[in-house]
């Protein structure tokens, strides 16, 4: 390690800049929209609608992680998706519901959560500035 720089893990956390916070909030809303669209598409053409909904979610999460060049973008989209889908599973007092009790709905919920977690962790992690080679050479 160089004597003039502290290790990456020893640096204090800083809040994101206002622009980055706004971008992450926008990605959270985008994740909510993708979750709502997926909830409407997945029962339409089973199993094609389910695969289309999960592929759309995976593409959005991976695209957000690449756009922000960190995992935080993917996590923001995944969080928006999960919050929306969980809120859409709740039935209303009138008896209306969006998800029927069937295998497609459960596959969408559980598969979507798995896809969100997997794709959010594929995003590039934080690396210190400098040489792009391995850290401990």
């Amino acid at each position: 390690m160089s004597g003039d720089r502290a290790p990456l893990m020893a640096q204090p956390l800083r809040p994101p800049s206002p622009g980055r916070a706004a971008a992450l909030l926008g990605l959270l809303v985008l994740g909510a929209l993708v979750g709502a669209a997926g909830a409407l598409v997945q029962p339409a053409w089973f199993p094609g609608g389910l695969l289309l909904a999960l592929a759309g979610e995976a593409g959005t999460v991976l695209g957000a992680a690449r756009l922000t060049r960190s995992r935080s973008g993917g996590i923001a989209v995944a969080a928006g998706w999960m919050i929306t889908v969980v809120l859409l599973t709740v039935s209303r007092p009138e008896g209306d519901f969006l998800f029927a009790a069937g295998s497609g709905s459960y596959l969408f919920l559980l598969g979507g959560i798995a896809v969100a977690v997997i794709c959010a962790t594929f995003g590039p992690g934080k690396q210190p500035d400098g040489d792009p080679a391995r850290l401990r050479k």
Side-chain angles (χ1 to χ4, degrees):
M1 299 240 151
S2 61
D4 58 339
R5 289 184 49 188
L8 184 65
M9 296 300 288
Q11 296 176 359
L13 293 175
R14 296 183 316 241
S17 66
R20 187 166 183 85
L24 291 176
L25 183 63
L27 290 172
L28 183 86
V29 171
L30 178 65
L33 291 174
V34 169
L40 295 173
V41 168
Q42 66 90 15
W45 310 293
F46 188 78
L50 174 66
L51 295 175
L52 180 65
L54 293 178
E57 177 199 5
T60 308
V61 172
L62 284 173
R66 293 209 181 236
L67 179 72
T68 59
R69 295 189 193 109
S70 71
R71 292 184 182 124
S72 61
I75 291 170
V77 171
W81 185 91
M82 286 184 199
I83 290 169
T84 301
V85 170
V86 167
L87 289 177
L88 289 175
T89 60
V90 177
S91 63
R92 296 177 24 163
E94 295 87 19
D96 299 337
F97 59 90
L98 192 59
F99 289 103
S103 62
S105 297
Y106 292 122
L107 284 173
F108 177 67
L109 292 171
L110 298 176
I113 291 171
V115 165
V117 169
I118 290 168
C119 292
T121 56
F122 274 149
K126 279 186 102 68
Q127 292 288 326
D129 297 332
D131 193 17
R134 293 183 303 182
L135 296 177
R136 295 275 189 177
K137 54 179 184 169

